[in-house]
């Protein structure tokens, strides 16, 4: 266990505006993941008290570089960053849009993906490729074709042009193209 930058609370870093903080202003923790099955995640570096702000790599240097990339991406996409030593909980992406069509999502997961919608968390930023991203390119192509074919068969709608969109957009495309149900 290696800790770095532990004197942060006594420095002027805490007086800086939150959007001007740098990675060097934070206490970081270096660790080796002994249970890692993949070489590219054997080493990790994370910011203490900031859940999810972590970098992984084949060595500590690579892990730190990845942490820096993640930190810079966070700064780019957020108005401010937490102060050093401020506890930062894990934030989940919104699921508002996907839940607007919850009944459809339940049906789609069951009939097309063969899984239960309620046994996972699916956000407005979930894509169909997230369900099989850990397979080789040839298998990805076969799975993509299979999902497109299942949707054609079940809904009589071609999603080829929207397949790479986020799930809420794919759902809305299918819903918009479906013929209205006939009520008796």
């Amino acid at each position: 266990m290696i800790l770095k930058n532990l004197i942060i609370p006594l420095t002027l870093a805490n007086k800086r505006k939150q959007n001007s903080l740098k990675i060097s202003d934070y206490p970081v923790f270096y660790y080796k993941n002994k249970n890692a099955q993949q070489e590219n995640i054997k080493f990790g570096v994370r910011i203490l008290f900031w859940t999810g702000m972590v970098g992984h790599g084949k060595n500590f240097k690579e892990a730190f570089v990845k942490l820096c990339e993640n930190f810079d991406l966070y700064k780019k996409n957020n108005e401010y960053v937490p102060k050093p030593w401020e506890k930062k909980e894990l934030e989940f992406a919104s699921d508002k849009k996907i839940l607007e069509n919850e009944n459809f999502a339940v049906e789609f997961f069951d009939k097309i993906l063969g899984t239960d919608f309620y046994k996972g968390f699916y956000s407005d930023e979930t894509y169909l490729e997230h369900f099989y991203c850990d397979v080789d390119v040839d298998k990805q192509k076969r799975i993509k074709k299979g999902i497109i074919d299942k949707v054609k068969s079940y809904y009589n709608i071609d999603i080829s042009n929207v397949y790479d969109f986020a799930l809420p957009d794919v759902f809305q495309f299918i819903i918009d193209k479906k013929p209205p149900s006939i009520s008796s």
Side-chain angles (χ1 to χ4, degrees):
M1 172 172 87
I2 304 168
L3 296 173
K4 296 267 186 162
N5 302 337
L6 292 179
I7 60 171
I8 297 303
L10 305 175
T11 68
L12 294 175
N14 281 335
K15 300 217 184 269
R16 291 187 190 159
K17 291 183 178 177
Q18 288 184 313
N19 59 2
S20 67
L21 292 167
K22 301 177 293 221
I23 194 82
S24 60
D25 295 323
Y26 289 86
V28 295
F29 174 72
Y30 289 77
Y31 62 94
K32 184 172 181 183
N33 184 355
K34 296 174 186 161
N35 297 321
Q37 301 281 326
Q38 298 167 266
E39 285 296 316
N40 63 336
I41 61 170
K42 287 229 183 224
F43 294 85
V45 181
R46 67 180 180 87
I47 294 177
L48 290 177
F49 308 114
W50 189 342
T51 306
M53 187 53 67
V54 65
H56 292 102
K58 295 176 184 172
N59 53 49
F60 286 128
K61 183 179 179 181
E62 192 176 296
F64 185 75
V65 167
K66 187 63 178 167
L67 172 65
C68 291
E69 290 172 6
N70 292 338
F71 180 78
D72 290 342
L73 182 62
Y74 185 91
K75 279 181 65 171
K76 178 181 166 192
N77 292 312
N78 291 275
E79 197 173 315
Y80 67 93
V81 294
K83 293 177 186 173
W85 298 92
E86 177 183 347
K87 189 171 183 177
K88 175 77 170 122
E89 299 292 336
L90 186 63
E91 293 179 32
F92 287 95
S94 171
D95 61 353
K96 182 181 176 200
K97 286 172 60 178
I98 202 164
L99 292 177
E100 286 174 1
N101 293 310
E102 182 176 356
N103 290 336
F104 181 82
V106 169
E107 175 185 274
F108 186 91
F109 271 67
D110 179 46
K111 303 299 182 191
I112 306 302
L113 301 176
T115 190
D116 185 346
F117 176 75
Y118 295 112
K119 289 192 176 180
F121 173 77
Y122 308 100
S123 77
D124 296 343
E125 300 171 28
T126 301
Y127 293 79
L128 287 167
E129 70 179 17
H130 291 158
F131 294 93
Y132 56 88
C133 59
D134 59 341
V135 298
D136 65 61
V137 175
D138 289 334
K139 190 166 185 175
Q140 287 177 8
K141 289 177 184 177
R142 288 192 307 272
I143 292 171
K144 179 177 179 176
K145 182 183 179 326
I147 290 173
I148 291 170
D149 290 346
K150 273 186 175 180
V151 170
K152 276 183 192 173
S153 174
Y154 190 79
Y155 295 109
N156 199 26
I157 295 169
D158 183 5
I159 62 165
S160 299
N161 293 332
V162 298
Y163 182 87
D164 295 322
F165 291 12
L167 278 181
D169 299 326
V170 173
F171 293 167
Q172 195 60 54
F173 178 83
I174 296 169
I175 291 167
D176 291 346
K177 297 284 185 188
K178 276 177 48 175
S181 300
I182 300 172
S183 304
S184 30

